[in-house]
Amino acid sequence: QVQLLQSGAEVQKPGASVKVSCKASGYTFTSYAIHWVRQAPGQSLEWMALINAGNGDTKYSQSFQGRVTVTRDTSASTVYMELSSLRSEDTAVYYCARDGAPTVVWGHMDVWGKGTTVTVSS
Amino acid sequence: EIVLTQSPGTLSLSPGERATLSCRASQSVSRSLGWYQQKPGRAPRLLIYDASTRATGVPARFSGSGSGTDFTLTISSLEPEDFAVYYCQQRSNWPPLTFGGGTKVEIK
């Protein structure tokens, strides 16, 4: 079945970077884009970025002012999200989610990973 | 950036009752709006896309309506597993994709 398997929880210090992975299985990896969405404790969902797994094109939210970078490794069917210059407000659960349409980016997410908790604390 | 405002913040209802959730956009999103359900400790689940189309496997008691700036998610008769938080999300004008603040449907 279609699955997105995310890497484990992380604890990082302010100013550091974190890299979260998302391994896809059960479908043709290069046919769908992958989104990254985060959720701070008790808060709503916040869209961060997207990568077209086929051609590598990316889109980012300006809210992160260049701190986020998304890459992919097609040989490993894996997408990576790196967030730099971490601050306490970045403490959240980070989700990867598949875009719901093949080939073209649709903008809704039909399959989600279980989430990766990132804690930023000194 | 399109801002989505959901109301009410919390809806207290009993199983079997009808739930009506609202999502208002700061500018027209046509019908490019979806709804997600999230249970505690779980990832969101896509319920509705394009304002009114149920995603695969979503029960018929869930329905969506609206266009432009005003949208509604209706649960016709609440089942115990429907008590959760619901988010709307627009894909009309992005980046960024944006979500509403959520409506919690709780057991009365």
Side-chain angles (χ1 to χ4, degrees), chain B residues 5 10 22 26 32 36 45-46 58 60-61 69-70 75 82 97 102:
Chain B
T5 302
T10 302
S22 174
S26 60
S32 299
Y36 296 80
R45 170 196 179 196
L46 180 64
V58 175
R61 64 182 180 272
T69 60
D70 290 297
I75 310 170
D82 299 337
L97 295 170

Side-chain angles (χ1 to χ4, degrees), chain A residues 48 60-69 83-85 87:
Chain A
M48 300 176 67
Y60 296 105
S61 169
Q62 289 190 341
S63 296
F64 295 90
Q65 297 177 313
R67 294 195 298 134
V68 64
T69 304
L83 185 62
S84 62
S85 303
R87 36 214 192 218

Side-chain angles (χ1 to χ4, degrees), chain A residues 1-7 21-36 51 53 72-80 96-99 111-113:
Chain A
Q1 72 277 30
V2 177
Q3 282 188 318
L4 298 174
L5 182 63
Q6 297 188 225
S7 50
S21 66
C22 172
K23 182 175 176 58
S25 61
Y27 70 96
T28 302
F29 175 71
T30 52
S31 292
Y32 292 81
I34 294 288
H35 299 264
W36 288 90
I51 186 164
R72 99 277 194 220
D73 178 347
T74 56
S75 66
S77 298
T78 300
V79 172
Y80 302 91
C96 62
R98 190 183 78 165
D99 190 85
V111 179
W112 293 65

